[in-house]
Amino acid sequence: MPITDPEKLRIVQERVFIKKVCRNCGALNSIRATKCRRCHSRNLRIKKKELPAKKA
Ligand SMILES: [Zn+2]
């Protein structure tokens, strides 16, 4: 489902991409997570694309 509305796209990117992904099991965690909520690994990477600004 393609999203063409730039405003929606921005919101989606914020919701979807500002996450951390576990390198161990691939689960998505919140950006503030220090451990994976699924396997409790600390091997997380930030899944953040093309949106440099973080909204408070
Ligand atoms: Zn994990």
Short mmCIF file of all heavy atoms in Angstrom, two decimals:
data_model
loop_
_atom_site.label_atom_id
_atom_site.label_comp_id
_atom_site.label_asym_id
_atom_site.label_seq_id
_atom_site.Cartn_x
_atom_site.Cartn_y
_atom_site.Cartn_z
N MET A 1 0.84 -1.19 0.00
CA MET A 1 0.00 0.00 0.00
C MET A 1 0.88 1.24 0.00
O MET A 1 1.52 1.57 0.97
CB MET A 1 -0.99 -0.07 1.15
CG MET A 1 -0.57 0.52 2.46
SD MET A 1 -1.81 0.27 3.73
CE MET A 1 -0.77 0.56 5.15
N PRO A 2 0.93 1.88 -1.11
CA PRO A 2 1.78 3.06 -1.24
C PRO A 2 1.20 4.27 -0.53
O PRO A 2 -0.02 4.47 -0.54
CB PRO A 2 1.83 3.29 -2.76
CG PRO A 2 0.60 2.66 -3.28
CD PRO A 2 0.23 1.56 -2.35
N ILE A 3 2.08 5.01 0.08
CA ILE A 3 1.65 6.22 0.79
C ILE A 3 2.19 7.42 0.03
O ILE A 3 3.39 7.54 -0.17
CB ILE A 3 2.16 6.21 2.23
CG1 ILE A 3 1.61 4.99 2.97
CG2 ILE A 3 1.77 7.49 2.93
CD1 ILE A 3 2.29 4.76 4.29
N THR A 4 1.29 8.27 -0.38
CA THR A 4 1.72 9.40 -1.20
C THR A 4 1.67 10.71 -0.43
O THR A 4 2.41 11.63 -0.73
CB THR A 4 0.84 9.51 -2.45
OG1 THR A 4 -0.52 9.45 -2.05
CG2 THR A 4 1.12 8.37 -3.40
N ASP A 5 0.79 10.77 0.54
CA ASP A 5 0.68 11.98 1.33
C ASP A 5 1.96 12.19 2.15
O ASP A 5 2.30 11.36 2.99
CB ASP A 5 -0.54 11.84 2.26
CG ASP A 5 -0.85 13.14 2.99
OD1 ASP A 5 0.03 14.03 2.99
OD2 ASP A 5 -1.95 13.25 3.53
N PRO A 6 2.66 13.29 1.91
CA PRO A 6 3.94 13.48 2.61
C PRO A 6 3.78 13.60 4.12
O PRO A 6 4.66 13.19 4.87
CB PRO A 6 4.50 14.76 1.99
CG PRO A 6 3.36 15.41 1.30
CD PRO A 6 2.38 14.34 0.94
N GLU A 7 2.67 14.14 4.55
CA GLU A 7 2.45 14.28 5.99
C GLU A 7 2.28 12.91 6.64
O GLU A 7 2.88 12.59 7.66
CB GLU A 7 1.22 15.15 6.23
CG GLU A 7 0.90 15.37 7.69
CD GLU A 7 1.94 16.23 8.41
OE1 GLU A 7 2.79 16.85 7.73
OE2 GLU A 7 1.90 16.25 9.64
N LYS A 8 1.50 12.07 6.01
CA LYS A 8 1.33 10.71 6.52
C LYS A 8 2.64 9.94 6.47
O LYS A 8 2.97 9.19 7.37
CB LYS A 8 0.27 9.97 5.69
CG LYS A 8 -1.13 10.33 6.08
CD LYS A 8 -2.10 9.47 5.29
CE LYS A 8 -3.53 9.95 5.56
NZ LYS A 8 -4.48 9.31 4.67
N LEU A 9 3.35 10.15 5.39
CA LEU A 9 4.61 9.47 5.24
C LEU A 9 5.57 9.83 6.37
O LEU A 9 6.26 8.98 6.92
CB LEU A 9 5.22 9.87 3.89
CG LEU A 9 6.44 9.07 3.45
CD1 LEU A 9 6.08 7.61 3.25
CD2 LEU A 9 7.00 9.65 2.17
N ARG A 10 5.56 11.07 6.74
CA ARG A 10 6.42 11.51 7.83
C ARG A 10 6.04 10.82 9.13
O ARG A 10 6.88 10.36 9.89
CB ARG A 10 6.30 13.03 7.98
CG ARG A 10 7.33 13.65 8.87
CD ARG A 10 7.11 15.14 8.99
NE ARG A 10 5.81 15.45 9.57
CZ ARG A 10 5.54 15.39 10.87
NH1 ARG A 10 6.49 15.06 11.73
NH2 ARG A 10 4.35 15.68 11.33
N ILE A 11 4.74 10.76 9.38
CA ILE A 11 4.27 10.12 10.61
C ILE A 11 4.63 8.65 10.62
O ILE A 11 5.11 8.11 11.61
CB ILE A 11 2.75 10.33 10.76
CG1 ILE A 11 2.46 11.81 10.96
CG2 ILE A 11 2.22 9.50 11.92
CD1 ILE A 11 0.98 12.15 10.87
N VAL A 12 4.42 8.02 9.50
CA VAL A 12 4.73 6.60 9.40
C VAL A 12 6.21 6.35 9.63
O VAL A 12 6.61 5.43 10.34
CB VAL A 12 4.28 6.06 8.03
CG1 VAL A 12 4.87 4.68 7.77
CG2 VAL A 12 2.76 5.99 7.97
N GLN A 13 7.01 7.20 9.04
CA GLN A 13 8.45 7.03 9.22
C GLN A 13 8.84 7.19 10.68
O GLN A 13 9.66 6.44 11.19
CB GLN A 13 9.20 8.04 8.36
CG GLN A 13 9.23 7.60 6.92
CD GLN A 13 9.97 8.61 6.06
OE1 GLN A 13 9.90 9.80 6.29
NE2 GLN A 13 10.65 8.13 5.06
N GLU A 14 8.24 8.15 11.34
CA GLU A 14 8.55 8.31 12.75
C GLU A 14 8.14 7.10 13.56
O GLU A 14 8.85 6.63 14.42
CB GLU A 14 7.83 9.55 13.30
CG GLU A 14 8.54 10.80 12.90
CD GLU A 14 7.85 12.02 13.49
OE1 GLU A 14 6.98 11.85 14.37
OE2 GLU A 14 8.16 13.12 13.05
N ARG A 15 6.96 6.59 13.25
CA ARG A 15 6.47 5.45 14.02
C ARG A 15 7.24 4.18 13.72
O ARG A 15 7.48 3.37 14.58
CB ARG A 15 4.99 5.20 13.68
CG ARG A 15 4.09 6.33 14.09
CD ARG A 15 3.51 6.08 15.46
NE ARG A 15 2.78 7.26 15.89
CZ ARG A 15 1.47 7.40 15.75
NH1 ARG A 15 0.77 6.46 15.20
NH2 ARG A 15 0.89 8.48 16.18
N VAL A 16 7.59 4.02 12.45
CA VAL A 16 8.13 2.74 12.03
C VAL A 16 9.65 2.69 12.16
O VAL A 16 10.21 1.71 12.63
CB VAL A 16 7.72 2.44 10.57
CG1 VAL A 16 8.42 1.20 10.06
CG2 VAL A 16 6.22 2.27 10.50
N PHE A 17 10.30 3.77 11.78
CA PHE A 17 11.75 3.68 11.65
C PHE A 17 12.49 4.04 12.91
O PHE A 17 13.64 3.67 13.07
CB PHE A 17 12.21 4.56 10.49
CG PHE A 17 11.80 4.01 9.16
CD1 PHE A 17 11.03 4.75 8.29
CD2 PHE A 17 12.18 2.72 8.80
CE1 PHE A 17 10.65 4.24 7.06
CE2 PHE A 17 11.79 2.20 7.58
CZ PHE A 17 11.03 2.96 6.71
N ILE A 18 11.85 4.80 13.79
CA ILE A 18 12.57 5.12 15.02
C ILE A 18 12.36 4.01 16.01
O ILE A 18 11.57 4.08 16.94
CB ILE A 18 12.15 6.51 15.53
CG1 ILE A 18 12.39 7.53 14.44
CG2 ILE A 18 12.94 6.85 16.76
CD1 ILE A 18 12.04 8.94 14.84
N LYS A 19 13.06 2.96 15.75
CA LYS A 19 12.94 1.73 16.53
C LYS A 19 14.31 1.13 16.66
O LYS A 19 15.23 1.48 15.93
CB LYS A 19 12.05 0.72 15.77
CG LYS A 19 10.61 1.13 15.65
CD LYS A 19 9.87 0.78 16.90
CE LYS A 19 8.41 1.12 16.73
NZ LYS A 19 7.68 0.87 17.97
N LYS A 20 14.40 0.17 17.54
CA LYS A 20 15.61 -0.63 17.58
C LYS A 20 15.26 -2.04 17.18
O LYS A 20 14.20 -2.56 17.56
CB LYS A 20 16.21 -0.62 18.98
CG LYS A 20 16.95 0.65 19.28
CD LYS A 20 17.56 0.58 20.64
CE LYS A 20 18.37 1.83 20.92
NZ LYS A 20 18.89 1.80 22.30
N VAL A 21 16.15 -2.64 16.45
CA VAL A 21 15.93 -4.00 16.00
C VAL A 21 16.97 -4.90 16.65
O VAL A 21 18.16 -4.60 16.65
CB VAL A 21 16.05 -4.09 14.46
CG1 VAL A 21 15.74 -5.50 13.99
CG2 VAL A 21 15.13 -3.10 13.80
N CYS A 22 16.51 -6.00 17.19
CA CYS A 22 17.41 -6.96 17.80
C CYS A 22 18.18 -7.69 16.71
O CYS A 22 17.60 -8.21 15.77
CB CYS A 22 16.60 -7.94 18.63
SG CYS A 22 17.61 -9.19 19.40
N ARG A 23 19.51 -7.72 16.86
CA ARG A 23 20.30 -8.46 15.89
C ARG A 23 20.21 -9.96 16.15
O ARG A 23 20.60 -10.76 15.33
CB ARG A 23 21.77 -8.04 15.99
CG ARG A 23 22.03 -6.68 15.38
CD ARG A 23 23.52 -6.53 15.14
NE ARG A 23 23.82 -5.24 14.54
CZ ARG A 23 24.29 -4.21 15.23
NH1 ARG A 23 24.50 -4.30 16.51
NH2 ARG A 23 24.56 -3.08 14.63
N ASN A 24 19.76 -10.30 17.29
CA ASN A 24 19.72 -11.71 17.66
C ASN A 24 18.46 -12.39 17.13
O ASN A 24 18.54 -13.44 16.50
CB ASN A 24 19.79 -11.81 19.18
CG ASN A 24 20.20 -13.20 19.62
OD1 ASN A 24 21.01 -13.84 18.98
ND2 ASN A 24 19.63 -13.65 20.71
N CYS A 25 17.30 -11.77 17.40
CA CYS A 25 16.04 -12.42 17.00
C CYS A 25 15.23 -11.57 16.04
O CYS A 25 14.24 -12.02 15.52
CB CYS A 25 15.21 -12.75 18.24
SG CYS A 25 14.50 -11.33 19.04
N GLY A 26 15.64 -10.33 15.80
CA GLY A 26 14.96 -9.49 14.83
C GLY A 26 13.72 -8.79 15.36
O GLY A 26 13.01 -8.16 14.60
N ALA A 27 13.46 -8.88 16.65
CA ALA A 27 12.29 -8.22 17.20
C ALA A 27 12.47 -6.71 17.23
O ALA A 27 13.57 -6.21 17.42
CB ALA A 27 12.04 -8.73 18.62
N LEU A 28 11.37 -6.01 17.07
CA LEU A 28 11.40 -4.56 17.19
C LEU A 28 11.25 -4.18 18.66
O LEU A 28 10.41 -4.73 19.37
CB LEU A 28 10.26 -3.95 16.39
CG LEU A 28 10.46 -3.85 14.88
CD1 LEU A 28 9.19 -3.30 14.26
CD2 LEU A 28 11.63 -2.96 14.54
N ASN A 29 12.05 -3.23 19.04
CA ASN A 29 11.96 -2.71 20.39
C ASN A 29 11.82 -1.21 20.32
O ASN A 29 12.15 -0.59 19.31
CB ASN A 29 13.23 -3.08 21.16
CG ASN A 29 13.33 -4.56 21.39
OD1 ASN A 29 12.83 -5.08 22.36
ND2 ASN A 29 13.95 -5.26 20.45
N SER A 30 11.40 -0.62 21.43
CA SER A 30 11.28 0.83 21.44
C SER A 30 12.66 1.46 21.35
O SER A 30 13.68 0.83 21.67
CB SER A 30 10.55 1.28 22.70
OG SER A 30 11.49 1.62 23.69
N ILE A 31 12.69 2.70 20.96
CA ILE A 31 13.95 3.39 20.77
C ILE A 31 14.70 3.51 22.08
O ILE A 31 15.91 3.62 22.12
CB ILE A 31 13.70 4.78 20.11
CG1 ILE A 31 14.99 5.43 19.65
CG2 ILE A 31 12.96 5.71 21.06
CD1 ILE A 31 15.70 4.70 18.54
N ARG A 32 14.00 3.46 23.17
CA ARG A 32 14.65 3.60 24.47
C ARG A 32 15.08 2.27 25.07
O ARG A 32 15.68 2.24 26.14
CB ARG A 32 13.68 4.27 25.44
CG ARG A 32 13.38 5.68 25.02
CD ARG A 32 12.49 6.32 26.05
NE ARG A 32 12.36 7.75 25.74
CZ ARG A 32 12.06 8.66 26.65
NH1 ARG A 32 11.85 8.31 27.89
NH2 ARG A 32 11.95 9.90 26.32
N ALA A 33 14.73 1.20 24.42
CA ALA A 33 15.04 -0.10 24.97
C ALA A 33 16.55 -0.33 25.00
O ALA A 33 17.27 0.05 24.09
CB ALA A 33 14.38 -1.18 24.14
N THR A 34 17.00 -0.93 26.07
CA THR A 34 18.41 -1.30 26.13
C THR A 34 18.58 -2.80 25.94
O THR A 34 19.66 -3.27 25.62
CB THR A 34 19.02 -0.88 27.48
OG1 THR A 34 18.24 -1.42 28.52
CG2 THR A 34 19.05 0.62 27.59
N LYS A 35 17.51 -3.52 26.16
CA LYS A 35 17.53 -4.95 25.96
C LYS A 35 16.35 -5.35 25.09
O LYS A 35 15.31 -4.71 25.12
CB LYS A 35 17.41 -5.69 27.30
CG LYS A 35 18.60 -5.56 28.18
CD LYS A 35 18.52 -6.54 29.32
CE LYS A 35 17.30 -6.27 30.18
NZ LYS A 35 17.28 -7.15 31.36
N CYS A 36 16.51 -6.42 24.37
CA CYS A 36 15.43 -6.94 23.57
C CYS A 36 14.32 -7.44 24.47
O CYS A 36 14.56 -8.12 25.45
CB CYS A 36 15.95 -8.08 22.70
SG CYS A 36 14.65 -8.86 21.74
N ARG A 37 13.09 -7.10 24.09
CA ARG A 37 11.97 -7.53 24.92
C ARG A 37 11.61 -8.99 24.69
O ARG A 37 10.80 -9.55 25.42
CB ARG A 37 10.76 -6.65 24.66
CG ARG A 37 10.20 -6.83 23.27
CD ARG A 37 9.05 -5.87 23.05
NE ARG A 37 8.65 -5.91 21.64
CZ ARG A 37 7.87 -4.98 21.09
NH1 ARG A 37 7.44 -3.99 21.81
NH2 ARG A 37 7.53 -5.06 19.84
N ARG A 38 12.19 -9.56 23.68
CA ARG A 38 11.85 -10.94 23.36
C ARG A 38 12.90 -11.92 23.85
O ARG A 38 12.57 -12.90 24.49
CB ARG A 38 11.72 -11.04 21.85
CG ARG A 38 11.04 -12.30 21.39
CD ARG A 38 10.35 -12.00 20.08
NE ARG A 38 10.48 -13.05 19.12
CZ ARG A 38 10.40 -12.87 17.81
NH1 ARG A 38 10.27 -11.66 17.32
NH2 ARG A 38 10.47 -13.85 16.99
N CYS A 39 14.16 -11.62 23.57
CA CYS A 39 15.20 -12.58 23.95
C CYS A 39 16.17 -11.99 24.97
O CYS A 39 17.12 -12.63 25.36
CB CYS A 39 15.96 -13.05 22.71
SG CYS A 39 16.96 -11.75 21.95
N HIS A 40 15.93 -10.72 25.36
CA HIS A 40 16.73 -10.05 26.39
C HIS A 40 18.18 -9.85 25.99
O HIS A 40 19.04 -9.63 26.84
CB HIS A 40 16.63 -10.78 27.74
CG HIS A 40 15.21 -10.98 28.16
ND1 HIS A 40 14.36 -9.96 28.50
CD2 HIS A 40 14.47 -12.11 28.23
CE1 HIS A 40 13.18 -10.47 28.79
NE2 HIS A 40 13.21 -11.76 28.64
N SER A 41 18.43 -9.96 24.72
CA SER A 41 19.77 -9.66 24.23
C SER A 41 19.99 -8.15 24.25
O SER A 41 19.06 -7.37 24.11
CB SER A 41 19.92 -10.20 22.82
OG SER A 41 21.03 -9.61 22.19
N ARG A 42 21.25 -7.76 24.42
CA ARG A 42 21.55 -6.32 24.32
C ARG A 42 22.06 -5.97 22.93
O ARG A 42 22.52 -4.86 22.70
CB ARG A 42 22.60 -5.95 25.35
CG ARG A 42 22.05 -6.12 26.74
CD ARG A 42 22.68 -5.13 27.68
NE ARG A 42 22.05 -5.27 28.99
CZ ARG A 42 22.70 -5.10 30.11
NH1 ARG A 42 23.97 -4.81 30.10
NH2 ARG A 42 22.07 -5.21 31.24
N ASN A 43 22.01 -6.89 22.07
CA ASN A 43 22.55 -6.69 20.72
C ASN A 43 21.50 -6.03 19.83
O ASN A 43 20.91 -6.65 18.97
CB ASN A 43 22.98 -8.06 20.17
CG ASN A 43 23.90 -7.90 18.98
OD1 ASN A 43 24.24 -6.78 18.58
ND2 ASN A 43 24.30 -9.01 18.42
N LEU A 44 21.29 -4.75 20.08
CA LEU A 44 20.28 -4.00 19.34
C LEU A 44 20.94 -3.02 18.40
O LEU A 44 21.98 -2.46 18.70
CB LEU A 44 19.38 -3.24 20.31
CG LEU A 44 18.62 -4.05 21.33
CD1 LEU A 44 17.89 -3.11 22.27
CD2 LEU A 44 17.65 -5.00 20.69
N ARG A 45 20.28 -2.83 17.28
CA ARG A 45 20.73 -1.75 16.41
C ARG A 45 19.56 -0.82 16.16
O ARG A 45 18.40 -1.21 16.23
CB ARG A 45 21.24 -2.31 15.09
CG ARG A 45 20.16 -2.95 14.26
CD ARG A 45 20.71 -3.43 12.93
NE ARG A 45 19.74 -4.28 12.25
CZ ARG A 45 18.77 -3.81 11.46
NH1 ARG A 45 18.64 -2.51 11.28
NH2 ARG A 45 17.93 -4.62 10.88
N ILE A 46 19.89 0.44 15.88
CA ILE A 46 18.84 1.41 15.62
C ILE A 46 18.39 1.29 14.18
O ILE A 46 19.21 1.27 13.27
CB ILE A 46 19.35 2.83 15.91
CG1 ILE A 46 19.60 2.98 17.40
CG2 ILE A 46 18.32 3.86 15.45
CD1 ILE A 46 20.17 4.32 17.77
N LYS A 47 17.09 1.19 14.02
CA LYS A 47 16.53 1.16 12.69
C LYS A 47 15.98 2.54 12.39
O LYS A 47 14.83 2.85 12.62
CB LYS A 47 15.42 0.10 12.65
CG LYS A 47 14.77 -0.02 11.29
CD LYS A 47 13.67 -1.05 11.37
CE LYS A 47 13.14 -1.34 9.99
NZ LYS A 47 12.09 -2.34 10.04
N LYS A 48 16.85 3.39 11.91
CA LYS A 48 16.42 4.75 11.67
C LYS A 48 16.89 5.14 10.28
O LYS A 48 18.06 5.07 9.98
CB LYS A 48 17.00 5.68 12.72
CG LYS A 48 16.32 7.02 12.71
CD LYS A 48 16.53 7.73 14.02
CE LYS A 48 17.85 8.44 14.08
NZ LYS A 48 17.92 9.41 15.17
N LYS A 49 15.96 5.52 9.47
CA LYS A 49 16.30 5.90 8.11
C LYS A 49 15.86 7.33 7.85
O LYS A 49 14.86 7.77 8.37
CB LYS A 49 15.56 5.00 7.12
CG LYS A 49 16.07 3.57 7.15
CD LYS A 49 15.42 2.79 6.04
CE LYS A 49 15.94 1.38 6.01
NZ LYS A 49 15.29 0.61 4.96
N GLU A 50 16.59 7.97 7.05
CA GLU A 50 16.30 9.23 6.41
C GLU A 50 15.55 10.30 7.22
O GLU A 50 15.32 11.39 6.75
CB GLU A 50 15.57 9.03 5.07
CG GLU A 50 14.20 8.39 5.18
CD GLU A 50 13.82 7.76 3.85
OE1 GLU A 50 14.29 6.66 3.54
OE2 GLU A 50 13.08 8.41 3.11
N LEU A 51 15.17 10.03 8.42
CA LEU A 51 14.60 11.07 9.26
C LEU A 51 15.59 11.38 10.36
O LEU A 51 15.63 10.71 11.37
CB LEU A 51 13.28 10.62 9.88
CG LEU A 51 12.02 10.99 9.15
CD1 LEU A 51 10.83 10.72 10.07
CD2 LEU A 51 11.99 12.43 8.73
N PRO A 52 16.40 12.40 10.21
CA PRO A 52 17.40 12.69 11.22
C PRO A 52 16.80 13.32 12.47
O PRO A 52 17.29 13.10 13.56
CB PRO A 52 18.34 13.67 10.51
CG PRO A 52 17.52 14.30 9.46
CD PRO A 52 16.47 13.30 9.07
N ALA A 53 15.73 14.07 12.32
CA ALA A 53 15.18 14.79 13.46
C ALA A 53 14.31 13.89 14.31
O ALA A 53 13.49 13.13 13.80
CB ALA A 53 14.38 15.98 12.97
N LYS A 54 14.51 13.99 15.59
CA LYS A 54 13.71 13.22 16.52
C LYS A 54 12.79 14.18 17.24
O LYS A 54 13.24 15.14 17.85
CB LYS A 54 14.63 12.49 17.49
CG LYS A 54 13.91 11.43 18.27
CD LYS A 54 14.89 10.49 18.97
CE LYS A 54 16.03 11.18 19.67
NZ LYS A 54 16.78 10.28 20.54
N LYS A 55 11.52 13.90 17.17
CA LYS A 55 10.57 14.80 17.82
C LYS A 55 10.44 14.50 19.29
O LYS A 55 10.40 13.35 19.69
CB LYS A 55 9.20 14.66 17.16
CG LYS A 55 9.11 15.44 15.87
CD LYS A 55 7.67 15.52 15.41
CE LYS A 55 7.18 16.95 15.40
NZ LYS A 55 5.75 17.00 15.08
N ALA A 56 10.36 15.53 20.07
CA ALA A 56 10.28 15.33 21.51
C ALA A 56 8.86 14.96 21.92
O ALA A 56 7.91 15.33 21.24
CB ALA A 56 10.68 16.61 22.23
ZN ZN B 1 15.98 -10.34 20.53
#
